[in-house]
Amino acid sequence: MIIKDKKIVLGVTGAISAYKALELARLLIKEEAGVWPVMTRSAKEFITPLSLSTLARSPVFSDLFELTEGSRISHIELAQKADLLIVAPATANLIGKLASGIADDLLTTVISAATAPVLIAPSMNSEMWANKIVQGNVTRLKAHGYNFVGPAEGKLACGYEGKGRLAAVEDILEAAEEALRAKDLKGEKVLVSAGPTREAIDPVRFVSNSSSGRMGYAIAKAARRRGAEVVLVSGPSYLPKPSNITFVPVVSAEEMHDACIRYYPQSTLVIMAAAVADYRPTKSYPTKVKKDAKVLSIEMERTADVLKYMGKKKKEGQFLVGFALETENLEENAKKKLSEKNLDLVVGNTPLGLDSLTNQVTIIDREGSVEVLPPLGKDDIAERILDIVVKQKS
Ligand code: CTP
């Protein structure tokens, strides 16, 4: 876990869910992070500093004026030495103060002076969360790069039911990992294609393949986590639409072509993970084909090769990654695709990866260096591909 050996300021504010911060502190210590707990005055009405300091294995900081010269650590040091700041639970009051630039206690002062990522886990009554001013504050903080996790939906301590519960501690931990991950694709505009295409025979039948879209979706999400602006052009897929990206659903190879070409000029990185149909029926029947003839022949014609077109039009500053699906001579065929389509990187794989949670890929670059990865989950493969892209692009 990335969290290991990181210094984390754990801010706790006054909400009934403050007791869950104790569990969060315990889990952070279990993952071998260093925890500096900071409590607001009202947080102490809900849990005791003794409990928190015991689980966090550190004294609790809470008084701004105690941390002056001569004390072990100053508020500026807390802010500057932290790798991540988490506020869990975060009240509407804390969110409002941060959004307005108010620093009137230790926690708000530390957060204002910090350069590390900040993760906020709100917890409040559902009406309070829905309040337009609170929502405006959240939008403002998000625009300034603050990370949010939750709130979750469910029964609230105040008797209400709705959105306002502190996110599950495991979700906060995962969001912390995400916030810590290097934003090494910041500034990049990434275009990813995913899934199969469908070429209509008649209104109820089509020619397609068994791609699930998982690889492309994993790449799109990983690129977004690493700070890129992402456009995902997806053929028909049952996967949930990833958040915080531009999602462009398409059906046929022609639609995929048009959508990709539309976003291509402004893209700095393109990863074509889609299994685009190479052929489509020369005509699509307007009504259902009846089973009259003994033999039915469907004439097929070539579709446009989107990636090849992009390779031809590639400009300085654009990096092209293609996939190569092969049943034989994987390395040789993948290398051929790399040069014929003018790619910067090609990811070779076999049909075993189709509609599967895992895959085994071989990554080849322009210099001919070949990296054979072991079988891995598609999220891990996405990260490995992006690691190589980042190295090669810089
Ligand atoms: N591709 C594309 N447009 C097509 C077909 C493929 O952009 N009409 C892209 C795929 O998204 C992939 C790469 O080209 O990134 C290679 O696709 P693949 O199916 O492995 O190979 P093809 O180029 O179609 O060649 P062949 O089917 O002969 O192996």
Side-chain angles (χ1 to χ4, degrees):
M1 271 200 155
I2 299 178
I3 272 176
K4 187 170 184 288
D5 296 330
K6 293 291 188 304
K7 296 195 184 69
I8 298 175
V9 167
L10 174 58
V12 183
T13 66
I16 191 75
S17 56
Y19 72 94
K20 294 185 188 163
L22 299 174
E23 175 66 357
L24 181 59
R26 192 185 70 80
L27 287 178
L28 289 170
I29 291 294
K30 195 170 149 221
E31 297 299 337
E32 297 178 46
V35 179
W36 286 325
V38 178
M39 290 175 87
T40 61
R41 195 143 43 97
S42 41
K44 293 183 191 167
E45 301 288 332
F46 293 89
I47 57 169
T48 70
L50 179 62
S51 310
L52 188 57
S53 69
T54 306
L55 288 163
R57 297 193 187 155
S58 156
V60 166
F61 305 101
S62 55
D63 187 348
L64 179 59
F65 300 104
E66 263 175 21
L67 299 187
T68 47
E69 244 177 283
S71 74
R72 268 185 322 103
I73 190 162
S74 74
H75 63 281
I76 299 297
E77 264 184 287
L78 270 182
Q80 294 298 316
K81 289 198 176 155
D83 296 300
L84 173 69
L85 296 92
I86 305 177
V87 189
T91 55
N93 182 48
L94 183 277
I95 291 170
K97 280 198 214 170
L98 291 180
S100 319
I102 296 173
D104 66 348
D105 62 4
L106 181 63
L107 183 57
T108 47
T109 308
V110 168
I111 296 175
S112 303
T115 46
V118 179
L119 173 64
I120 298 183
S123 170
M124 65 197 75
N125 163 273
S126 52
E127 300 293 347
M128 217 167 170
W129 174 250
N131 179 299
K132 287 206 168 62
I133 297 174
V134 173
Q135 284 304 309
N137 289 337
V138 170
T139 306
R140 187 148 191 220
L141 290 174
K142 281 186 179 167
H144 286 291
Y146 283 68
N147 304 281
F148 278 78
V149 53
E153 228 160 290
K155 260 209 174 334
L156 304 175
C158 54
Y160 278 63
E161 181 130 19
K163 210 166 184 186
R165 283 171 69 95
L166 182 72
V169 177
E170 295 72 23
D171 291 345
I172 299 177
L173 211 58
E174 189 170 327
E177 288 263 304
E178 192 172 323
L180 276 168
R181 205 175 278 281
K183 298 280 182 251
D184 49 11
L185 286 175
K186 209 172 160 100
E188 299 286 342
K189 292 183 189 304
V190 181
L191 170 62
V192 182
S193 73
T197 60
R198 285 181 185 171
E199 312 306 322
I201 297 170
D202 68 14
V204 292
R205 303 178 180 97
F206 53 78
V207 181
S208 189
N209 58 67
S210 54
S211 165
S212 63
R214 269 192 204 97
M215 192 65 246
Y217 279 54
I219 293 170
K221 286 192 278 181
R224 189 206 61 215
R225 278 198 297 270
R226 292 167 84 142
E229 251 178 71
V230 180
V231 175
L232 174 62
V233 177
S234 172
S237 167
Y238 294 106
L239 298 174
K241 178 184 145 215
S243 52
N244 296 335
I245 60 162
T246 304
F247 185 75
V248 187
V250 298
V251 177
S252 65
E254 192 178 2
E255 284 176 22
M256 178 152 292
H257 171 271
D258 293 351
C260 289
I261 297 309
R262 192 161 71 244
Y263 288 98
Y264 182 50
Q266 60 267 35
S267 303
T268 54
L269 167 62
V270 178
I271 306 184
M272 284 291 290
V276 191
D278 291 324
Y279 291 91
R280 65 166 163 245
T282 47
K283 67 168 186 182
S284 160
Y285 293 86
T287 54
K288 192 180 167 206
V289 177
K290 289 294 183 188
K291 52 176 179 305
D292 294 335
K294 227 178 177 165
V295 175
L296 173 70
S297 304
I298 297 172
E299 196 185 29
M300 309 275 275
E301 64 186 2
R302 283 280 292 274
T303 58
D305 190 319
V306 190
L307 193 53
K308 197 164 183 178
Y309 174 85
M310 289 175 169
K312 272 199 198 121
K313 298 273 172 193
K314 191 163 63 171
K315 286 181 306 207
E316 174 96 28
Q318 288 187 311
F319 194 95
L320 273 190
V321 183
F323 272 70
L325 182 68
E326 309 296 341
T327 50
E328 60 204 334
N329 306 331
L330 181 113
E331 199 176 311
E332 188 190 324
N333 287 334
K335 278 183 173 162
K336 214 164 127 204
K337 279 177 191 164
L338 178 115
S339 87
E340 277 175 2
K341 301 194 188 198
N342 191 23
L343 307 179
D344 298 287
L345 208 66
V346 68
V347 183
N349 65 155
T350 71
L352 284 176
L354 280 174
D355 198 17
S356 160
L357 295 176
T358 57
N359 199 1
Q360 209 246 300
V361 305
T362 299
I363 306 178
I364 304 170
D365 69 15
R366 275 183 97 90
E367 268 65 61
S369 104
V370 178
E371 192 174 340
V372 182
L373 297 187
L376 290 169
K378 289 187 175 173
D379 285 333
D380 288 331
I381 295 177
E383 296 291 354
R384 299 287 283 267
I385 294 170
L386 293 178
D387 286 345
I388 297 177
V389 169
V390 167
K391 242 189 245 154
Q392 300 231 339
K393 256 192 141 241
S394 57

